[in-house]
């Protein structure tokens, strides 16, 4: 993906904001673990409006996960889940579906990582996976559909961002 200076800057700002918001959520104890609701996950809807933000989300998540109590596995798995979700979100055609890829990717990948961390791949894995996938997906659902939904509603109305959005994502008043 070739990016101009403005798009690269937006991706960098998103990376910094994601990391900062994740650390802020960590203060309240909701950034890591089976019950998590990172405020930063609201930013995962941005590739719907700005495909150039996908790499920024990945880098921001990677930075945030450097402080994860789960160590390198969370840096790899959590960051991969965010990258997969961001790339899929950029391809979604309808705004109401934009929050869904982060919910699914994080629920499955981070939920699986947490289950493996807790139970290994032994007999307790399926139950641990069901619990962790469900709680992580629920946190994602809240962050992406509520907070992310606010971003999806507000950002297209700001003329400054108009030329950075794909034409099919612009409101009629800006197109």
């Amino acid at each position: 993906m070739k990016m101009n200076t403005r798009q690269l800057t937006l991706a960098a700002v998103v990376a910094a904001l994601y990391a900062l918001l994740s650390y802020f959520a960590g203060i309240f104890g909701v950034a890591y673990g089976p019950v998590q609701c990172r405020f930063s996950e609201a930013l995962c809807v941005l590739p719907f409006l700005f495909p150039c933000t996908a790499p920024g989300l990945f880098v921001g998540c990677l930075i945030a996960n450097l402080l994860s109590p789960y160590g390198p596995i969370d840096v790899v798995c959590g960051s991969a889940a965010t990258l997969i979700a961001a790339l899929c979100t950029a391809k979604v055609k309808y705004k109401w579906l934009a929050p869904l890829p982060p919910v699914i990717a994080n629920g499955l990948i981070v939920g699986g990582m947490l289950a493996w961390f807790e139970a290994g791949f032994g007999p307790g894995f399926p139950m641990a996976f069901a619990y962790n996938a469900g709680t992580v997906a629920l946190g994602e659902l809240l962050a992406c559909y509520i907070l992310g939904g606010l971003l999806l509603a507000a950002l297209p109305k700001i003329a400054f961002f108009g030329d950075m959005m794909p034409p099919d994502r612009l409101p009629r008043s800006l197109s």
Side-chain angles (χ1 to χ4, degrees):
M1 163 193 269
K2 187 175 179 183
M3 293 195 278
N4 63 35
T5 304
R6 194 168 177 203
Q7 292 169 323
L8 187 59
T9 303
L10 180 60
V13 167
V14 166
L17 194 55
Y18 185 100
L20 179 70
L21 289 171
S22 293
Y23 291 147
F24 184 68
I27 293 169
F28 297 102
V30 294
Y32 306 100
V35 179
Q36 58 179 263
C37 187
R38 288 184 180 182
F39 315 119
S40 54
E41 288 298 309
L43 300 174
C44 289
V45 302
L46 291 180
F48 176 78
L49 299 173
F50 313 104
C52 66
T53 60
L57 289 165
F58 170 70
V59 170
C61 185
L62 191 138
I63 292 168
N65 286 342
L66 291 174
L67 292 183
S68 170
Y70 298 98
I73 188 135
D74 198 12
V75 174
V76 173
C77 292
S79 303
T82 296
L83 180 60
I84 291 166
L87 294 173
C88 290
T89 300
K91 303 283 186 207
V92 168
K93 298 292 182 202
Y94 303 103
K95 186 179 359 182
W96 65 273
L97 288 175
L100 199 55
V103 172
I104 294 170
N106 283 284
L108 294 175
I109 296 170
V110 175
M113 178 206 72
L114 292 171
W116 173 81
F117 197 83
E118 293 171 5
F121 287 120
F125 180 82
M127 186 62 91
F129 175 73
Y131 172 76
N132 287 302
T135 58
V136 169
L138 180 61
E140 287 290 316
L141 192 88
L142 294 172
C144 293
Y145 270 97
I146 295 173
L147 298 175
L150 293 172
L151 288 173
L152 289 173
L155 291 177
K157 296 175 183 171
I158 301 172
F160 175 80
F161 294 115
D163 64 337
M164 296 177 71
M165 286 185 250
D168 63 329
R169 308 290 163 90
L170 285 170
R172 287 182 185 27
S173 62
L174 294 178
S175 55

